[in-house]
Amino acid sequence: MLQSLRSLAFRSSSRIATQASRVAVYYDFAESCHREKVESVFDIGANRGQFASRLRMAGWKGRIYSFEPLSEMHARLAAVAAKDPEWVVADRIALGDILGLQPLNVASNDGKSSSLLQAEPGGELYGSAFEFVRTEEVHVVPLDNWVGAAAPEAPFAIKIDVQGFELHVLN
């Protein structure tokens, strides 16, 4: 009995420590932005807005620009961001190193693994198991093109979570 209680206590304290370290990341990011006098944060691959929401909880008050190409997630993101006048949701586009229409592979796991890349054999992309259930056409726009048209406040920080397409965004 005592052994199982120790095991349960260890698992619970491990979960709490893991959650605390995850929350600390947002406070560290917000602090870095303040220290570096960042005016805007780009949340590229925003999904439902989890990153931006947590960044707000960590005290970031500056402008946030969120990008999400998946139609269902983009709609959910826009609804969440609508309550915050300093949170701008870009049109439903993907950022990348080309300009044009491209198929977006929509994943079965609430869109979290949706990607402009193909899945690895066996339905895995970076260790996450899922299936692509359909494709959506999405406009891909280079970040430089978007920045030039939108003229966001500089300097800015960038968070990118685009399922292996990061280098294409940076290029």
Side-chain angles (χ1 to χ4, degrees):
M1 173 77 167
L2 185 56
Q3 184 61 28
S4 66
L5 284 176
R6 276 190 207 148
S7 178
L8 178 62
F10 177 75
R11 285 195 311 269
S12 295
S13 65
S14 294
R15 276 194 299 269
I16 291 168
T18 299
Q19 290 293 1
S21 71
R22 286 182 185 156
V23 169
V25 168
Y26 298 98
Y27 282 93
D28 290 347
F29 189 90
E31 178 56 34
S32 295
C33 288
H34 290 299
R35 186 177 54 252
E36 299 299 324
K37 299 182 179 11
V38 166
E39 295 289 332
S40 306
V41 171
F42 293 176
D43 179 9
I44 302 171
N47 195 258
R48 298 182 316 264
Q50 303 94 310
F51 174 83
S53 296
R54 291 173 185 152
L55 192 57
R56 283 289 190 240
M57 285 189 279
W60 173 252
K61 297 191 184 336
R63 178 72 48 105
I64 298 172
Y65 294 92
S66 291
F67 300 85
E68 176 55 46
L70 187 59
S71 60
E72 181 182 340
M73 293 303 125
H74 187 271
R76 291 168 78 178
L77 172 67
V80 171
K83 302 170 193 143
D84 183 339
E86 292 300 313
W87 187 353
V88 177
V89 177
D91 290 339
R92 192 180 77 84
I93 60 171
L95 296 174
D97 52 359
I98 57 152
L99 182 60
L101 275 175
Q102 216 172 326
L104 174 66
N105 299 299
V106 180
S108 59
N109 59 353
D110 199 23
K112 292 177 186 156
S113 298
S114 297
S115 179
L116 290 167
L117 300 175
Q118 294 299 316
E120 297 167 8
E124 286 197 12
L125 185 66
Y126 300 100
S128 296
F130 60 90
E131 295 178 57
F132 285 139
V133 292
R134 67 181 191 283
T135 61
E136 292 183 3
E137 290 291 313
V138 65
H139 287 278
V140 180
V141 177
L143 182 57
D144 287 344
N145 290 27
W146 186 88
V147 168
E153 301 82 9
F156 47 82
I158 300 175
K159 169 267 184 183
I160 306 175
D161 182 5
V162 290
Q163 287 66 43
F165 208 70
E166 288 81 1
L167 189 55
H168 297 276
V169 173
L170 292 171
N171 284 338

